[in-house]
Amino acid sequence: MKKENRYILFLIFFWTISIAQSQVPENPFEIEFSGTKINVQEPFTISVKVTGLEQVPLISFPDNIKNFQKRESSRSSLTNQVGGKTIVTYTISQNYYPIKTGTFTIGSLEILVNKQILRSEGTTVTVESATEEETEEISQESAEISAELEKEASQGVFLAVSVDKKRVYVQQGFNLRLSLLVSENNAAEMDFYEVEKQLEKVLKLLKPANCWEENFGIQEIPDIPITINGKRFTEYRIYQASFFPLNNQSIRLPSVGWMMKMITKSEEGKDVIELKTYTSKPLTIEVMSLPPHPLRNQVIVGNFRLEEKINSSQLKTGNSYRYNFSIVGEGNIQSIREPTFTNMALFDVYPPDIENNIVRQKNRIAGAKTLQYQVIPKQSGNYSLNNLVFWVYFNPQKQKYDTLHSTLNLTIVGENVQNTQLLTSDAESVYTGIEQWDSMKPVVDYQTIIRNIANILIVIMLIVMIFMFRK
Protein backbone atom coordinates (compact mmCIF):
# COMPACT_ATOMS: atom_id res chain seq x y z
CA MET A 1 0.00 0.00 0.00
CA LYS A 2 1.33 3.43 -0.88
CA LYS A 3 2.28 5.87 1.86
CA GLU A 4 -0.37 8.39 0.67
CA ASN A 5 -3.09 5.75 0.85
CA ARG A 6 -2.02 4.78 4.35
CA TYR A 7 -2.26 8.40 5.43
CA ILE A 8 -5.73 8.78 3.91
CA LEU A 9 -6.83 5.52 5.50
CA PHE A 10 -5.53 6.73 8.88
CA LEU A 11 -7.60 9.94 8.62
CA ILE A 12 -10.71 8.07 7.49
CA PHE A 13 -10.42 5.61 10.40
CA PHE A 14 -10.21 8.28 13.09
CA TRP A 15 -12.91 10.42 11.42
CA THR A 16 -15.19 7.38 11.45
CA ILE A 17 -14.42 6.74 15.13
CA SER A 18 -15.16 10.38 16.05
CA ILE A 19 -18.49 10.29 14.19
CA ALA A 20 -19.44 7.00 15.81
CA GLN A 21 -18.65 8.35 19.27
CA SER A 22 -20.91 11.32 18.63
CA GLN A 23 -23.76 8.85 18.06
CA VAL A 24 -23.39 7.22 21.50
CA PRO A 25 -26.18 8.38 23.82
CA GLU A 26 -25.39 9.88 27.20
CA ASN A 27 -25.04 7.31 29.97
CA PRO A 28 -28.39 7.34 31.86
CA PHE A 29 -26.85 5.83 35.02
CA GLU A 30 -25.15 7.63 37.87
CA ILE A 31 -23.78 6.19 41.14
CA GLU A 32 -23.98 8.19 44.37
CA PHE A 33 -22.89 7.58 47.98
CA SER A 34 -24.52 8.96 51.13
CA GLY A 35 -23.93 8.37 54.81
CA THR A 36 -20.15 8.54 54.67
CA LYS A 37 -20.12 9.90 58.24
CA ILE A 38 -22.59 7.92 60.34
CA ASN A 39 -23.16 6.26 63.70
CA VAL A 40 -23.15 2.50 64.14
CA GLN A 41 -26.96 2.30 63.80
CA GLU A 42 -27.19 4.30 60.57
CA PRO A 43 -26.71 3.01 57.02
CA PHE A 44 -24.09 3.74 54.42
CA THR A 45 -26.14 4.04 51.23
CA ILE A 46 -25.24 3.34 47.59
CA SER A 47 -27.68 4.78 45.05
CA VAL A 48 -28.07 4.37 41.31
CA LYS A 49 -29.78 7.30 39.62
CA VAL A 50 -31.48 6.52 36.31
CA THR A 51 -32.79 9.22 33.95
CA GLY A 52 -34.84 8.87 30.79
CA LEU A 53 -35.80 5.18 30.96
CA GLU A 54 -39.45 4.18 30.79
CA GLN A 55 -39.12 1.41 33.39
CA VAL A 56 -37.12 0.95 36.56
CA PRO A 57 -34.07 -1.17 35.62
CA LEU A 58 -33.09 -4.40 37.33
CA ILE A 59 -30.25 -3.58 39.72
CA SER A 60 -28.08 -5.97 41.70
CA PHE A 61 -25.93 -4.37 44.39
CA PRO A 62 -22.84 -6.07 45.88
CA ASP A 63 -23.65 -8.67 48.53
CA ASN A 64 -20.50 -8.18 50.55
CA ILE A 65 -18.80 -4.98 51.66
CA LYS A 66 -16.20 -5.56 54.35
CA ASN A 67 -17.33 -4.33 57.80
CA PHE A 68 -20.89 -3.70 56.53
CA GLN A 69 -24.07 -5.80 56.31
CA LYS A 70 -26.46 -5.50 53.37
CA ARG A 71 -30.07 -4.86 54.40
CA GLU A 72 -33.14 -3.05 53.06
CA SER A 73 -33.39 -1.03 49.86
CA SER A 74 -35.53 1.98 48.92
CA ARG A 75 -36.70 3.71 45.78
CA SER A 76 -37.65 7.26 44.84
CA SER A 77 -38.84 8.89 41.64
CA LEU A 78 -38.64 12.46 40.39
CA THR A 79 -41.12 13.33 37.63
CA ASN A 80 -40.84 16.62 35.73
CA GLN A 81 -43.61 17.76 33.40
CA VAL A 82 -42.35 20.73 31.40
CA GLY A 83 -44.17 22.03 28.36
CA GLY A 84 -46.02 18.76 27.85
CA LYS A 85 -42.87 16.63 28.08
CA THR A 86 -42.38 14.20 30.97
CA ILE A 87 -38.94 13.20 32.24
CA VAL A 88 -38.65 10.62 35.04
CA THR A 89 -35.55 10.07 37.19
CA TYR A 90 -35.49 6.97 39.41
CA THR A 91 -33.14 6.58 42.37
CA ILE A 92 -32.68 3.03 43.67
CA SER A 93 -30.80 2.89 46.97
CA GLN A 94 -29.26 0.01 48.93
CA ASN A 95 -28.45 0.33 52.63
CA TYR A 96 -25.39 -1.23 54.26
CA TYR A 97 -25.22 -1.11 58.06
CA PRO A 98 -21.84 -1.06 59.83
CA ILE A 99 -20.97 -3.91 62.20
CA LYS A 100 -18.43 -1.87 64.19
CA THR A 101 -17.06 1.63 64.62
CA GLY A 102 -14.02 2.98 62.81
CA THR A 103 -12.90 4.53 59.53
CA PHE A 104 -13.21 2.20 56.55
CA THR A 105 -11.96 2.53 52.99
CA ILE A 106 -14.38 1.15 50.42
CA GLY A 107 -12.80 0.45 47.08
CA SER A 108 -14.36 0.40 43.63
CA LEU A 109 -17.67 -1.51 43.57
CA GLU A 110 -19.39 -3.37 40.73
CA ILE A 111 -23.15 -2.90 40.36
CA LEU A 112 -25.14 -4.92 37.82
CA VAL A 113 -27.73 -2.79 35.99
CA ASN A 114 -29.80 -4.54 33.31
CA LYS A 115 -26.92 -7.01 32.82
CA GLN A 116 -24.44 -4.13 32.45
CA ILE A 117 -21.64 -3.68 34.97
CA LEU A 118 -21.30 -0.20 36.49
CA ARG A 119 -18.14 0.53 38.45
CA SER A 120 -18.10 3.11 41.21
CA GLU A 121 -15.22 5.11 42.58
CA GLY A 122 -13.95 4.35 46.05
CA THR A 123 -14.87 6.30 49.18
CA THR A 124 -14.19 6.42 52.92
CA VAL A 125 -16.86 5.85 55.60
CA THR A 126 -16.45 7.01 59.20
CA VAL A 127 -18.60 5.12 61.74
CA GLU A 128 -19.03 6.53 65.25
CA SER A 129 -20.84 5.27 68.35
CA ALA A 130 -24.56 6.05 68.65
CA THR A 131 -25.91 8.50 71.22
CA GLU A 132 -28.53 7.51 73.80
CA GLU A 133 -31.29 9.33 71.85
CA GLU A 134 -30.41 7.49 68.63
CA THR A 135 -30.39 4.14 70.45
CA GLU A 136 -33.80 4.93 71.95
CA GLU A 137 -35.26 5.64 68.49
CA ILE A 138 -34.11 2.21 67.26
CA SER A 139 -35.63 0.59 70.36
CA GLN A 140 -38.98 2.25 69.64
CA GLU A 141 -38.96 0.86 66.10
CA SER A 142 -38.21 -2.62 67.45
CA ALA A 143 -41.06 -2.26 69.95
CA GLU A 144 -43.53 -1.52 67.14
CA ILE A 145 -42.41 -4.64 65.29
CA SER A 146 -42.64 -6.72 68.45
CA ALA A 147 -46.22 -5.66 69.21
CA GLU A 148 -47.28 -6.60 65.70
CA LEU A 149 -45.66 -10.04 65.51
CA GLU A 150 -45.34 -11.18 69.11
CA LYS A 151 -48.18 -13.73 68.83
CA GLU A 152 -46.29 -15.64 66.13
CA ALA A 153 -42.79 -15.28 67.58
CA SER A 154 -43.04 -18.61 69.38
CA GLN A 155 -42.49 -20.35 66.05
CA GLY A 156 -39.02 -20.85 64.63
CA VAL A 157 -40.10 -19.89 61.11
CA PHE A 158 -43.31 -18.12 60.08
CA LEU A 159 -44.80 -16.11 57.21
CA ALA A 160 -46.23 -12.70 58.14
CA VAL A 161 -48.43 -10.27 56.26
CA SER A 162 -48.14 -7.16 58.43
CA VAL A 163 -49.51 -3.62 58.21
CA ASP A 164 -48.61 -0.47 60.14
CA LYS A 165 -52.27 0.60 60.56
CA LYS A 166 -55.48 -1.41 60.94
CA ARG A 167 -57.77 1.62 60.86
CA VAL A 168 -57.40 4.35 58.24
CA TYR A 169 -59.41 7.08 56.54
CA VAL A 170 -60.26 7.08 52.86
CA GLN A 171 -57.10 8.27 51.02
CA GLN A 172 -54.91 7.62 54.07
CA GLY A 173 -52.03 5.26 53.33
CA PHE A 174 -51.14 2.08 55.15
CA ASN A 175 -47.94 0.09 54.64
CA LEU A 176 -48.09 -3.63 53.88
CA ARG A 177 -45.18 -6.10 54.10
CA LEU A 178 -44.92 -9.76 53.17
CA SER A 179 -42.04 -11.31 55.10
CA LEU A 180 -40.62 -14.66 56.07
CA LEU A 181 -39.19 -14.53 59.61
CA VAL A 182 -36.59 -17.05 60.71
CA SER A 183 -35.38 -17.42 64.30
CA GLU A 184 -31.64 -17.46 64.88
CA ASN A 185 -32.18 -20.77 66.70
CA ASN A 186 -33.68 -22.39 63.62
CA ALA A 187 -31.30 -25.18 62.58
CA ALA A 188 -33.07 -26.21 59.36
CA GLU A 189 -31.34 -25.28 56.11
CA MET A 190 -33.72 -23.60 53.67
CA ASP A 191 -33.71 -21.68 50.41
CA PHE A 192 -36.19 -19.66 48.34
CA TYR A 193 -38.15 -21.43 45.63
CA GLU A 194 -39.61 -19.90 42.41
CA VAL A 195 -39.90 -16.44 43.95
CA GLU A 196 -41.34 -14.65 40.90
CA LYS A 197 -44.03 -17.27 40.23
CA GLN A 198 -45.08 -17.46 43.84
CA LEU A 199 -45.11 -13.69 44.28
CA GLU A 200 -47.33 -13.21 41.23
CA LYS A 201 -49.93 -15.61 42.68
CA VAL A 202 -49.73 -14.16 46.19
CA LEU A 203 -50.13 -10.55 45.06
CA LYS A 204 -53.31 -11.39 43.18
CA LEU A 205 -54.76 -12.20 46.61
CA LEU A 206 -53.08 -9.47 48.66
CA LYS A 207 -53.43 -6.36 46.51
CA PRO A 208 -56.69 -4.56 47.39
CA ALA A 209 -58.73 -3.66 44.31
CA ASN A 210 -60.04 -0.40 45.81
CA CYS A 211 -56.61 1.12 46.55
CA TRP A 212 -53.90 3.19 44.88
CA GLU A 213 -50.59 1.30 45.15
CA GLU A 214 -47.13 2.73 45.71
CA ASN A 215 -44.78 -0.25 45.30
CA PHE A 216 -41.41 -0.11 47.08
CA GLY A 217 -39.92 -2.13 44.20
CA ILE A 218 -37.97 -4.79 46.12
CA GLN A 219 -35.63 -6.43 43.59
CA GLU A 220 -33.48 -8.41 46.01
CA ILE A 221 -34.88 -10.00 49.15
CA PRO A 222 -32.99 -8.36 52.04
CA ASP A 223 -32.26 -10.09 55.34
CA ILE A 224 -33.02 -7.68 58.17
CA PRO A 225 -32.17 -8.55 61.79
CA ILE A 226 -35.02 -7.76 64.22
CA THR A 227 -35.87 -8.62 67.82
CA ILE A 228 -39.33 -9.92 68.82
CA ASN A 229 -40.08 -10.50 72.50
CA GLY A 230 -36.36 -10.65 73.21
CA LYS A 231 -35.80 -13.28 70.52
CA ARG A 232 -33.61 -12.58 67.52
CA PHE A 233 -35.06 -13.13 64.07
CA THR A 234 -34.03 -12.44 60.49
CA GLU A 235 -36.75 -10.85 58.40
CA TYR A 236 -36.64 -11.76 54.71
CA ARG A 237 -38.80 -9.04 53.19
CA ILE A 238 -40.39 -10.36 50.01
CA TYR A 239 -42.78 -7.53 49.12
CA GLN A 240 -43.61 -4.05 50.42
CA ALA A 241 -46.03 -1.37 49.28
CA SER A 242 -48.19 1.44 50.60
CA PHE A 243 -51.89 1.45 49.70
CA PHE A 244 -54.30 4.39 49.70
CA PRO A 245 -58.01 3.38 49.89
CA LEU A 246 -60.22 5.08 47.32
CA ASN A 247 -63.52 4.35 49.12
CA ASN A 248 -64.77 3.34 52.55
CA GLN A 249 -65.00 -0.42 51.92
CA SER A 250 -63.13 -2.48 54.50
CA ILE A 251 -60.01 -4.22 53.19
CA ARG A 252 -59.70 -7.94 53.89
CA LEU A 253 -56.29 -9.50 53.36
CA PRO A 254 -56.67 -13.29 53.11
CA SER A 255 -54.32 -15.95 54.38
CA VAL A 256 -51.58 -16.68 51.81
CA GLY A 257 -49.00 -19.43 51.53
CA TRP A 258 -45.31 -19.38 50.66
CA MET A 259 -43.21 -22.43 49.76
CA MET A 260 -39.59 -22.82 50.79
CA LYS A 261 -37.03 -25.49 49.91
CA MET A 262 -36.03 -27.48 52.99
CA ILE A 263 -32.65 -29.18 52.66
CA THR A 264 -31.85 -32.18 54.87
CA LYS A 265 -29.26 -34.95 54.79
CA SER A 266 -30.14 -38.56 54.05
CA GLU A 267 -28.49 -41.49 55.83
CA GLU A 268 -26.09 -41.72 52.92
CA GLY A 269 -25.14 -38.08 53.42
CA LYS A 270 -26.89 -36.80 50.29
CA ASP A 271 -29.00 -33.62 50.16
CA VAL A 272 -32.73 -34.26 50.31
CA ILE A 273 -34.91 -31.35 49.13
CA GLU A 274 -38.51 -31.01 50.24
CA LEU A 275 -41.01 -28.20 49.78
CA LYS A 276 -42.66 -26.78 52.89
CA THR A 277 -45.46 -24.21 52.85
CA TYR A 278 -45.74 -21.47 55.47
CA THR A 279 -49.08 -19.69 55.85
CA SER A 280 -49.86 -16.15 56.97
CA LYS A 281 -52.81 -15.07 59.08
CA PRO A 282 -55.65 -13.01 57.54
CA LEU A 283 -55.99 -9.31 58.33
CA THR A 284 -58.75 -6.71 58.08
CA ILE A 285 -58.20 -2.96 57.70
CA GLU A 286 -61.14 -0.76 58.59
CA VAL A 287 -61.59 2.22 56.26
CA MET A 288 -63.42 5.25 57.66
CA SER A 289 -65.19 7.95 55.67
CA LEU A 290 -63.91 11.50 55.94
CA PRO A 291 -66.07 14.00 57.85
CA PRO A 292 -68.54 16.11 55.81
CA HIS A 293 -66.85 18.87 53.80
CA PRO A 294 -67.45 20.48 50.38
CA LEU A 295 -64.09 19.07 49.17
CA ARG A 296 -64.36 15.67 50.88
CA ASN A 297 -64.08 13.75 47.58
CA GLN A 298 -61.11 15.78 46.37
CA VAL A 299 -58.75 16.25 49.31
CA ILE A 300 -55.61 14.25 50.10
CA VAL A 301 -55.04 12.73 53.55
CA GLY A 302 -51.66 13.12 55.22
CA ASN A 303 -49.26 15.45 57.02
CA PHE A 304 -48.06 18.33 54.86
CA ARG A 305 -46.39 21.72 54.94
CA LEU A 306 -46.01 24.48 52.35
CA GLU A 307 -42.81 25.77 50.77
CA GLU A 308 -43.11 28.60 48.25
CA LYS A 309 -41.05 31.23 46.51
CA ILE A 310 -41.34 33.87 43.79
CA ASN A 311 -38.70 35.70 41.74
CA SER A 312 -39.12 38.96 43.61
CA SER A 313 -41.25 40.42 46.39
CA GLN A 314 -41.63 43.64 44.37
CA LEU A 315 -43.33 43.05 41.05
CA LYS A 316 -44.32 45.14 38.06
CA THR A 317 -47.65 44.87 36.29
CA GLY A 318 -47.50 43.25 32.87
CA ASN A 319 -44.31 41.29 33.61
CA SER A 320 -44.32 37.53 34.20
CA TYR A 321 -42.76 35.86 37.25
CA ARG A 322 -42.04 32.29 38.33
CA TYR A 323 -44.07 31.28 41.38
CA ASN A 324 -43.32 27.88 42.99
CA PHE A 325 -45.93 26.27 45.25
CA SER A 326 -44.49 23.11 46.90
CA ILE A 327 -46.55 20.73 49.06
CA VAL A 328 -44.13 18.69 51.18
CA GLY A 329 -44.90 15.83 53.52
CA GLU A 330 -46.20 12.29 53.93
CA GLY A 331 -49.13 10.97 51.88
CA ASN A 332 -50.20 10.19 48.32
CA ILE A 333 -47.94 12.76 46.64
CA GLN A 334 -48.86 11.61 43.13
CA SER A 335 -52.56 12.50 43.60
CA ILE A 336 -52.10 16.01 44.99
CA ARG A 337 -54.23 18.55 43.13
CA GLU A 338 -53.44 22.17 42.33
CA PRO A 339 -54.01 24.91 44.94
CA THR A 340 -56.91 27.34 44.69
CA PHE A 341 -56.39 30.87 43.32
CA THR A 342 -59.29 33.07 44.45
CA ASN A 343 -58.60 36.48 42.84
CA MET A 344 -57.94 36.11 39.12
CA ALA A 345 -58.40 39.89 38.66
CA LEU A 346 -55.08 40.43 40.44
CA PHE A 347 -53.03 37.93 38.41
CA ASP A 348 -53.10 36.01 35.20
CA VAL A 349 -52.00 32.48 36.14
CA TYR A 350 -50.78 30.07 33.47
CA PRO A 351 -50.86 26.23 33.67
CA PRO A 352 -47.96 24.98 35.82
CA ASP A 353 -44.98 22.79 35.12
CA ILE A 354 -45.21 19.96 37.65
CA GLU A 355 -42.49 18.13 39.57
CA ASN A 356 -43.29 15.02 41.66
CA ASN A 357 -40.57 13.84 44.04
CA ILE A 358 -41.74 10.60 45.71
CA VAL A 359 -39.59 8.77 48.27
CA ARG A 360 -40.47 5.18 49.23
CA GLN A 361 -38.42 4.55 52.34
CA LYS A 362 -38.82 2.49 55.52
CA ASN A 363 -42.60 2.24 56.02
CA ARG A 364 -43.81 5.44 54.45
CA ILE A 365 -44.44 7.37 51.27
CA ALA A 366 -43.19 10.95 51.47
CA GLY A 367 -41.86 13.66 49.20
CA ALA A 368 -43.03 16.84 47.51
CA LYS A 369 -45.15 18.08 44.66
CA THR A 370 -43.93 21.36 43.19
CA LEU A 371 -46.14 23.39 40.87
CA GLN A 372 -44.19 26.02 38.95
CA TYR A 373 -46.52 28.77 37.75
CA GLN A 374 -46.03 31.74 35.48
CA VAL A 375 -48.00 34.64 36.96
CA ILE A 376 -48.51 38.14 35.58
CA PRO A 377 -49.71 40.84 38.02
CA LYS A 378 -52.38 43.18 36.66
CA GLN A 379 -53.09 45.56 39.56
CA SER A 380 -50.67 47.71 41.56
CA GLY A 381 -50.70 47.82 45.35
CA ASN A 382 -49.62 45.89 48.44
CA TYR A 383 -51.13 42.41 48.77
CA SER A 384 -51.00 39.45 51.13
CA LEU A 385 -51.53 36.14 49.34
CA ASN A 386 -52.78 34.48 52.56
CA ASN A 387 -56.40 34.25 51.38
CA LEU A 388 -55.64 34.37 47.66
CA VAL A 389 -53.70 31.09 47.31
CA PHE A 390 -54.44 28.04 49.49
CA TRP A 391 -54.65 24.23 49.49
CA VAL A 392 -56.97 22.05 51.61
CA TYR A 393 -56.18 18.57 52.98
CA PHE A 394 -57.26 16.28 55.82
CA ASN A 395 -54.86 15.80 58.73
CA PRO A 396 -55.39 12.30 60.27
CA GLN A 397 -53.43 13.17 63.42
CA LYS A 398 -55.66 16.16 64.18
CA GLN A 399 -58.65 14.30 62.67
CA LYS A 400 -59.79 17.45 60.90
CA TYR A 401 -59.40 19.38 57.67
CA ASP A 402 -56.48 21.77 57.45
CA THR A 403 -55.43 24.45 54.97
CA LEU A 404 -52.03 25.53 53.72
CA HIS A 405 -52.13 29.29 53.04
CA SER A 406 -49.58 31.30 51.12
CA THR A 407 -47.42 33.46 53.38
CA LEU A 408 -46.15 35.84 50.69
CA ASN A 409 -46.60 39.61 50.91
CA LEU A 410 -46.11 41.36 47.57
CA THR A 411 -45.66 44.93 46.42
CA ILE A 412 -46.87 45.48 42.85
CA VAL A 413 -45.99 48.67 40.96
CA GLY A 414 -46.98 50.01 37.56
CA GLU A 415 -50.20 50.88 35.76
CA ASN A 416 -53.19 48.58 36.01
CA VAL A 417 -53.59 46.37 32.94
CA GLN A 418 -56.48 44.31 31.59
CA ASN A 419 -54.85 42.01 29.04
CA THR A 420 -51.43 40.45 29.57
CA GLN A 421 -49.01 38.40 27.51
CA LEU A 422 -46.02 36.29 28.48
CA LEU A 423 -43.35 38.47 26.92
CA THR A 424 -40.51 40.09 28.77
CA SER A 425 -39.94 39.55 32.40
CA ASP A 426 -37.83 37.66 34.75
CA ALA A 427 -39.02 34.17 33.80
CA GLU A 428 -40.23 33.44 30.29
CA SER A 429 -42.74 30.63 29.81
CA VAL A 430 -42.53 27.74 27.39
CA TYR A 431 -45.91 28.90 26.04
CA THR A 432 -44.55 32.25 24.84
CA GLY A 433 -45.67 32.98 21.27
CA ILE A 434 -47.71 29.80 20.99
CA GLU A 435 -50.57 31.67 19.33
CA GLN A 436 -48.24 32.54 16.43
CA TRP A 437 -47.29 28.95 15.67
CA ASP A 438 -48.58 27.42 12.46
CA SER A 439 -49.76 23.91 13.40
CA MET A 440 -50.24 23.02 9.70
CA LYS A 441 -46.59 23.64 8.89
CA PRO A 442 -44.50 20.44 8.99
CA VAL A 443 -41.83 20.29 11.66
CA VAL A 444 -38.30 19.54 10.49
CA ASP A 445 -36.32 17.33 12.86
CA TYR A 446 -32.80 18.52 12.01
CA GLN A 447 -31.19 16.37 14.70
CA THR A 448 -32.56 13.17 13.17
CA ILE A 449 -31.54 14.27 9.66
CA ILE A 450 -27.98 15.00 10.78
CA ARG A 451 -27.78 11.65 12.60
CA ASN A 452 -28.96 9.79 9.46
CA ILE A 453 -26.44 11.62 7.27
CA ALA A 454 -23.68 10.76 9.74
CA ASN A 455 -24.66 7.08 9.66
CA ILE A 456 -24.58 7.08 5.84
CA LEU A 457 -21.13 8.67 5.90
CA ILE A 458 -19.90 5.98 8.30
CA VAL A 459 -21.09 3.25 5.93
CA ILE A 460 -19.42 4.97 2.97
CA MET A 461 -16.15 5.36 4.89
CA LEU A 462 -16.16 1.68 5.82
CA ILE A 463 -16.76 0.68 2.20
CA VAL A 464 -13.87 2.91 1.07
CA MET A 465 -11.60 1.37 3.71
CA ILE A 466 -12.47 -2.18 2.60
CA PHE A 467 -11.85 -1.24 -1.05
CA MET A 468 -8.46 0.33 -0.27
CA PHE A 469 -7.38 -2.70 1.81
CA ARG A 470 -8.22 -5.03 -1.09
CA LYS A 471 -6.40 -2.79 -3.49
Side-chain angles (χ1 to χ4, degrees):
M1 186 183 293
K2 294 182 179 180
K3 184 176 181 181
E4 292 81 0
N5 288 344
R6 290 176 182 171
Y7 181 70
I8 294 173
L9 183 60
F10 179 81
L11 291 177
I12 291 175
F13 175 77
F14 280 99
W15 186 27
T16 304
I17 292 297
S18 63
I19 295 176
Q21 287 178 341
S22 67
Q23 307 293 309
V24 177
E26 185 179 350
N27 187 355
F29 306 117
E30 182 181 350
I31 298 175
E32 296 179 345
F33 296 135
S34 64
T36 53
K37 188 175 182 180
I38 55 179
N39 69 56
V40 75
Q41 294 177 340
E42 293 177 325
F44 163 63
T45 302
I46 304 173
S47 300
V48 175
K49 187 176 289 186
V50 185
T51 303
L53 298 187
E54 294 182 0
Q55 295 182 340
V56 181
L58 294 175
I59 298 180
S60 179
F61 290 91
D63 287 328
N64 299 313
I65 296 180
K66 189 176 180 181
N67 300 311
F68 291 85
Q69 183 182 38
K70 184 179 181 181
R71 293 195 197 170
E72 74 277 0
S73 60
S74 62
R75 187 180 74 179
S76 65
S77 59
L78 177 63
T79 304
N80 286 288
Q81 297 176 0
V82 182
K85 185 177 181 180
T86 301
I87 300 175
V88 181
T89 298
Y90 297 103
T91 301
I92 300 90
S93 302
Q94 178 64 57
N95 290 334
Y96 294 85
Y97 283 79
I99 58 178
K100 61 181 180 179
T101 59
T103 299
F104 309 107
T105 299
I106 297 175
S108 177
L109 300 172
E110 291 188 351
I111 302 172
L112 194 63
V113 181
N114 284 349
K115 298 183 179 180
Q116 298 181 32
I117 295 178
L118 296 184
R119 290 181 174 84
S120 72
E121 297 181 355
T123 188
T124 299
V125 181
T126 301
V127 182
E128 301 174 344
S129 300
T131 63
E132 292 183 4
E133 293 180 357
E134 292 164 338
T135 303
E136 185 177 348
E137 289 179 4
I138 298 296
S139 299
Q140 289 176 353
E141 291 181 10
S142 299
E144 292 176 3
I145 295 173
S146 300
E148 187 177 309
L149 303 174
E150 60 184 0
K151 294 180 181 179
E152 302 172 76
S154 59
Q155 306 176 52
V157 181
F158 63 94
L159 182 71
V161 173
S162 53
V163 294
D164 63 339
K165 304 180 191 73
K166 292 187 178 179
R167 199 164 183 256
V168 296
Y169 286 98
V170 174
Q171 287 286 358
Q172 181 183 5
F174 65 92
N175 188 267
L176 181 149
R177 301 196 310 271
L178 172 66
S179 305
L180 185 77
L181 290 105
V182 181
S183 170
E184 70 170 358
N185 297 323
N186 180 66
E189 186 179 352
M190 58 175 54
D191 200 358
F192 282 93
Y193 171 73
E194 294 185 346
V195 173
E196 292 183 3
K197 290 183 180 180
Q198 288 198 76
L199 187 58
E200 183 179 357
K201 293 179 181 178
V202 168
L203 293 186
K204 287 181 181 179
L205 300 173
L206 284 184
K207 285 186 178 182
N210 62 327
C211 291
W212 174 279
E213 179 191 9
E214 285 288 349
N215 195 323
F216 278 56
I218 294 176
Q219 296 184 356
E220 298 179 78
I221 298 177
D223 49 320
I224 305 168
I226 64 172
T227 302
I228 305 175
N229 286 346
K231 299 177 181 179
R232 294 181 179 179
F233 283 78
T234 297
E235 177 193 0
Y236 295 94
R237 193 169 299 174
I238 303 168
Y239 169 79
Q240 184 174 7
S242 284
F243 291 95
F244 298 85
L246 303 177
N247 55 42
N248 61 357
Q249 295 179 4
S250 294
I251 298 168
R252 292 177 174 83
L253 303 175
S255 174
V256 296
W258 189 267
M259 285 189 295
M260 296 290 291
K261 288 195 297 185
M262 309 300 295
I263 305 170
T264 58
K265 294 288 185 180
S266 66
E267 294 180 356
E268 293 80 16
K270 295 182 179 179
D271 287 344
V272 177
I273 298 176
E274 297 179 353
L275 296 179
K276 183 174 180 179
T277 300
Y278 295 93
T279 306
S280 69
K281 293 185 177 181
L283 287 175
T284 299
I285 295 102
E286 180 187 352
V287 183
M288 303 174 290
S289 298
L290 293 174
H293 190 277
L295 300 176
R296 181 169 71 173
N297 297 324
Q298 302 177 31
V299 299
I300 297 299
V301 177
N303 299 308
F304 299 99
R305 69 179 190 275
L306 173 62
E307 295 179 0
E308 58 178 344
K309 64 179 180 179
I310 197 167
N311 298 55
S312 173
S313 59
Q314 182 167 322
L315 315 181
K316 184 177 181 181
T317 57
N319 285 357
S320 70
Y321 299 88
R322 176 72 75 176
Y323 171 54
N324 288 357
F325 190 97
S326 298
I327 301 166
V328 184
E330 182 178 348
N332 190 357
I333 305 296
Q334 187 75 34
S335 299
I336 289 175
R337 301 193 179 197
E338 292 186 38
T340 300
F341 290 81
T342 59
N343 188 354
M344 301 308 291
L346 178 60
F347 289 101
D348 274 347
V349 181
Y350 289 81
D353 296 332
I354 301 174
E355 178 182 288
N356 285 318
N357 188 3
I358 302 174
V359 180
R360 303 160 184 87
Q361 187 172 322
K362 292 189 175 179
N363 295 330
R364 66 194 191 109
I365 301 294
K369 185 161 198 165
T370 301
L371 301 110
Q372 301 175 344
Y373 291 95
Q374 292 289 334
V375 297
I376 303 180
K378 297 189 291 185
Q379 297 181 11
S380 60
N382 297 318
Y383 299 95
S384 170
L385 298 190
N386 182 269
N387 292 317
L388 300 181
V389 186
F390 60 87
W391 183 76
V392 180
Y393 70 101
F394 184 81
N395 189 321
Q397 293 182 346
K398 299 178 181 178
Q399 297 188 353
K400 66 177 185 179
Y401 293 91
D402 207 343
T403 304
L404 299 179
H405 290 273
S406 172
T407 59
L408 294 180
N409 296 305
L410 302 178
T411 299
I412 303 175
V413 299
E415 297 181 359
N416 292 352
V417 295
Q418 296 295 325
N419 299 317
T420 64
Q421 292 182 356
L422 284 171
L423 294 174
T424 60
S425 89
D426 305 325
E428 188 173 335
S429 170
V430 295
Y431 300 105
T432 301
I434 193 172
E435 71 281 352
Q436 301 176 2
W437 294 359
D438 184 358
S439 60
M440 301 301 293
K441 185 177 179 180
V443 178
V444 180
D445 188 348
Y446 291 103
Q447 185 175 1
T448 301
I449 294 174
I450 293 172
R451 186 185 297 113
N452 292 336
I453 292 173
N455 290 334
I456 292 172
L457 287 174
I458 290 174
V459 174
I460 294 174
M461 295 301 103
L462 291 174
I463 293 173
V464 171
M465 289 173 63
I466 293 172
F467 174 78
M468 294 181 67
F469 269 120
R470 288 184 175 181
K471 188 174 180 181

